Amino acid sequence: MSNIIESATVDDIALYLQREEGLDARHAHEAAEQVVAGFHDMMAKGIIKGWYFNEQSHLELLPSDNALKIIANQK
């Protein structure tokens, strides 16, 4: 799974937000665009490699190798 990058689109995330947060379509799409912009920012900073929906239909982040090392060193 380490090669997943941006597998959930803005439209996918908007539908998720409509379902989980009860947002209307317009607000869900606006929120999804903000979420994806945040994900791109985290990718640019080397925090994550991507995002995806897991088997339970929850949005998950794929941490970068550097982030995993930091997490492991804090345990």
Side-chain angles (χ1 to χ4, degrees):
M1 189 165 310
S2 63
N3 61 353
I4 293 175
I5 297 176
E6 299 180 41
S7 66
T9 66
V10 170
D11 290 336
D12 295 334
I13 294 170
L15 288 172
Y16 174 80
L17 291 171
Q18 282 183 277
R19 184 183 74 236
E20 296 296 318
E21 302 294 326
L23 299 177
D24 63 53
R26 183 176 64 84
H27 287 106
H29 197 271
E30 289 171 359
E33 287 177 339
Q34 291 176 351
V35 167
V36 170
F39 290 167
H40 282 285
D41 185 50
M42 287 188 276
M43 285 181 75
K45 292 177 180 172
I47 299 168
I48 65 170
K49 290 194 270 187
W51 57 92
Y52 62 98
F53 283 104
N54 67 17
E55 295 83 17
Q56 292 82 33
S57 298
H58 294 117
L59 192 56
E60 295 280 340
L61 300 178
L62 186 62
S64 68
D65 294 337
N66 287 337
L68 290 174
K69 287 177 188 173
I70 292 169
I71 292 167
N73 288 335
Q74 292 180 354
K75 290 185 177 181

